[in-house]
Amino acid sequence: MSTQKAVTSEAVNAMGEKVEMRICSTPTEQAADIYSMLNYKKMPFRKIKVCRTQSP
């Protein structure tokens, strides 16, 4: 099950906001079968994007 990965990236955009993006890869067929047998979601999330302003 180590084939499915989740990545978090952080950056500051031109407006000075901190942007965090979290992306999850798609599981292999074997992992997807195991998830369905256990009634788990195949992907816990697709893409999460959070923007917040930086405090000085």
Side-chain angles (χ1 to χ4, degrees):
M1 303 285 273
S2 64
T3 58
Q4 191 173 13
K5 306 291 182 198
V7 177
T8 303
S9 301
E10 294 180 1
V12 177
N13 65 12
M15 295 183 291
E17 298 173 326
K18 182 177 179 182
V19 180
E20 294 179 8
M21 291 181 62
R22 188 150 167 85
I23 301 171
C24 182
S25 65
T26 55
T28 61
E29 271 188 49
Q30 292 174 330
D33 291 340
I34 292 170
Y35 291 153
S36 65
M37 285 184 233
L38 295 172
N39 292 326
Y40 286 168
K41 293 180 182 178
K42 292 180 182 173
M43 294 178 70
F45 54 88
R46 293 230 181 241
K47 183 177 181 180
I48 298 173
K49 183 177 178 182
V50 177
C51 294
R52 65 184 91 141
T53 56
Q54 297 285 321
S55 57

